[in-house]
């Protein structure tokens, strides 16, 4: 068995693990990344595409924003379409100039992987039988790769291995608590090389169900439809998808919609999920390993980034000063922001989707709530502040320098 000595063993090579690795690298802290999938698989995963301003700032600090600055699409507003009429939420005007940036999670992952490769940092892809051990005292990780057994002895384990990963599954059952809400529908997503239907995202509340018109660039669009969980991708031809999307749009958007062959099509179930705590001894959970949000609020990738900001700051503080304050406060600080994002994502999902269990009274109340939000500066400000991203304490990036 090959024995590897390092300070941090990062499990998972998604954006959370890669961003943590990049920040640790900048701070001169030794680490390795262990990933069960291949590098090509990780780089090709289609995920979210909206970055909060604090996430953009963090990627800039990490030194991986060159492509983001060139190709990202800053957005200062969003549209909400309800009862056939569009209403613009002026994100920048309501939040003292804050905005979001459209830039696909796939591109964020590729940028981080490229930076890691250029720095010649150690990553173990296609790792089999990954196990975490003794994280209360003297943590280590074991895995197999290409028929060879490895043991990684480390000071800490960062569990960035997603909802189905080994890290959360290894937490003591008497010390972990989970909270979950599963929604009775999914999102059918289509990626196509066609220009977006509008300059800004359109969130659609309609009698036929929710829809979202998004984009990845000026020539690539991402569209979503609310569909029953019983539907399968094979049920939806491109022609059927485009026709149903048109049926949920207003007349102007219908005229502007450019259709074309899909280059990716999938159905994602929606759930809200939180694990408490997010630290178990010397093992930390971050990103999807600790929490899932429905994509309506565009918070999944951004929550992962805020987890990593807290975790990297805590680890850097520990290695530079010996203080464990950041480590001890990691879970509490993360969860304060996590639950606010969970609330916003749940609220947006409830407000814009149709539920089979809704009565006519429920629907009228929902329409009245949306009408209030759209007709009130205070209501719009609440939506805008949450959408662009609530602040977190560590955004003084000097703490990571």
């Amino acid at each position: 068995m090959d024995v590897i000595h390092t300070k941090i063993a990062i499990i998972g090579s998604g954006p959370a693990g890669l961003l943590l690795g990049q920040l640790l690298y900048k701070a001169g802290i030794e680490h390795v990344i262990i990933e069960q999938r291949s590098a090509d698989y990780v780089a090709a995963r289609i995920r979210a595409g909206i970055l909060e301003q604090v996430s953009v700032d963090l990627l800039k600090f990490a030194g991986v924003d060159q492509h983001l600055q060139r190709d990202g699409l800053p957005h200062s507003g969003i549209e909400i379409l309800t009862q056939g009429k569009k209403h613009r939420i002026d994100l920048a005007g309501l939040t003292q100039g804050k905005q979001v940036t459209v830039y696909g999670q796939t591109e964020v992952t590729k940028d981080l992987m490229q930076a890691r490769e250029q720095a010649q940092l150690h990553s173990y892809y296609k790792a089999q039988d990954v196990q975490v051990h003794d994280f209360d005292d003297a943590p280590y990780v074991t895995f197999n790769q290409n028929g060879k057994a490895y043991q990684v002895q480390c000071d800490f384990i960062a569990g960035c291995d997603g909802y189905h990963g080994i890290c959360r599954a290894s937490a003591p059952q008497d010390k972990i608590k989970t909270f979950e809400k599963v929604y009775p529908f999914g999102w059918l997503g289509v990626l196509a090389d066609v220009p977006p239907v509008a300059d800004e995202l359109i969130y659609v509340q309609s009698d036929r169900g929710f829809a979202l018109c998004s984009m990845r660039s000026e020539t690539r669009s991402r569209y979503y439809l609310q569909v029953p969980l019983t539907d399968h991708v094979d049920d939806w031809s491109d022609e059927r998808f485009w026709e149903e999307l048109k049926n949920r749009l207003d007349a102007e958007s219908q005229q502007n919609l450019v259709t074309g062959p899909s280059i990716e099509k999938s159905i994602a179930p929606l759930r809200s999920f939180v694990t408490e705590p997010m630290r178990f001894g010397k093992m930390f959970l971050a990103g999807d390993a600790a929490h899932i949000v429905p994509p309506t609020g565009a918070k999944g990738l951004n929550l992962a980034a805020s987890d990593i900001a807290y975790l990297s700051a805590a680890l850097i503080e520990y290695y530079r000063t010996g203080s464990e304050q950041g480590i001890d406060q990691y879970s509490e600080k993360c969860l304060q922001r996590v639950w606010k994002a969970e609330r916003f994502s749940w609220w947006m999902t409830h407000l814009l989707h149709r539920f089979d269990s809704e009565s006519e009274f429920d629907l009228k109340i929902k329409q009245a709530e949306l009408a209030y939000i759209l007709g009130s500066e205070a209501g719009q400000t609440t939506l805008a502040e949450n959408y662009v991203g609530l602040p977190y304490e560590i955004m003084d990036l000097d703490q990571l320098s």
Side-chain angles (χ1 to χ4, degrees), residues 325-359:
Q325 181 177 355
I327 289 172
D328 292 337
Q329 295 178 348
Y330 168 73
S331 181
E332 179 184 357
K333 284 187 174 181
C334 285
L335 286 168
Q336 287 177 357
R337 196 170 192 272
V338 165
W339 277 112
K340 290 176 182 177
E342 291 279 352
R343 183 212 66 82
F344 177 67
S345 300
W346 164 85
W347 177 72
M348 285 280 283
T349 302
H350 182 266
L351 193 63
L352 298 176
H353 290 73
R354 290 297 305 267
F355 290 75
D356 290 340
S357 60
E358 285 178 333
S359 67

Side-chain angles (χ1 to χ4, degrees), residues 7-8 20 23-24 26-29 61 155-156 279 284 308-331 333 393-394 396-401:
K7 296 187 183 305
I8 316 294
L20 177 58
L23 292 169
L24 293 177
K26 282 179 61 66
I29 298 174
F61 175 81
D155 298 335
F156 300 99
R279 175 199 172 196
F284 308 91
I308 295 309
Y310 285 124
L311 181 54
S312 59
L315 293 172
I316 292 169
E317 177 187 50
Y318 172 78
Y319 284 109
R320 289 186 175 170
T321 70
S323 171
E324 297 186 14
Q325 181 177 355
I327 289 172
D328 292 337
Q329 295 178 348
Y330 168 73
S331 181
K333 284 187 174 181
E393 298 173 28
I394 196 60
D396 178 4
L397 293 177
D398 290 340
Q399 296 181 56
L400 299 177
S401 300

Side-chain angles (χ1 to χ4, degrees), residues 174-226:
D174 61 338
K175 295 182 179 180
I176 189 171
K177 187 172 184 179
T178 59
F179 306 83
E180 185 172 27
K181 178 179 178 60
V182 177
Y183 298 88
F185 42 73
W187 276 19
L188 169 62
V190 161
L191 191 68
D193 281 329
V194 294
V197 70
D199 292 334
E200 297 178 334
L201 275 68
I202 305 176
Y203 286 80
V204 182
Q205 183 206 55
S206 80
D207 292 339
R208 301 179 68 94
F210 171 81
L212 173 60
C213 301
S214 185
M215 70 281 289
R216 291 294 179 266
S217 70
E218 294 178 350
T219 59
R220 177 169 289 187
S221 298
R222 183 71 164 165
Y223 294 105
Y224 299 95
L225 293 175
Q226 175 187 352

